[in-house]
Amino acid sequence: MDKTDFTDQLQKLKDGELNELTVQPNDFMVFQEAFMDFDARKRVVGAAQKGGTVVYTFEKDQKE
């Protein structure tokens, strides 16, 4: 995956088209670039899994 792919995935996560986004350890640095440029990154929450995989979800507002 490249930065554009991760940017698209983050937007889908925000829009509710994806429930979660899984990032493998070998893709983390590319993901990090997209993540740092993402406008709603403070609402993206990651949970580390065994083996270095991270599963990200998006926190919705109470109103949403």
Side-chain angles (χ1 to χ4, degrees):
M1 283 194 153
D2 63 17
K3 182 179 175 182
T4 304
D5 293 330
F6 280 120
T7 300
D8 292 342
Q9 297 262 329
L10 284 165
Q11 189 61 49
K12 287 179 181 178
L13 191 65
K14 179 181 176 184
D15 293 342
E17 295 177 41
L18 292 176
N19 292 326
E20 62 184 32
L21 170 59
T22 302
V23 178
Q24 300 300 324
N26 57 335
D27 290 327
F28 182 77
M29 293 308 291
V30 176
F31 168 79
Q32 185 69 10
E33 288 180 40
F35 178 75
M36 293 308 291
D37 290 340
F38 190 59
D39 63 336
R41 72 177 177 266
K42 291 186 180 195
R43 295 180 51 202
V44 176
V45 179
Q49 308 294 307
K50 193 172 189 176
T53 301
V54 182
V55 177
Y56 292 92
T57 56
F58 191 81
E59 287 186 340
K60 299 279 187 190
D61 283 340
Q62 296 294 339
K63 302 177 256 181
E64 295 180 291

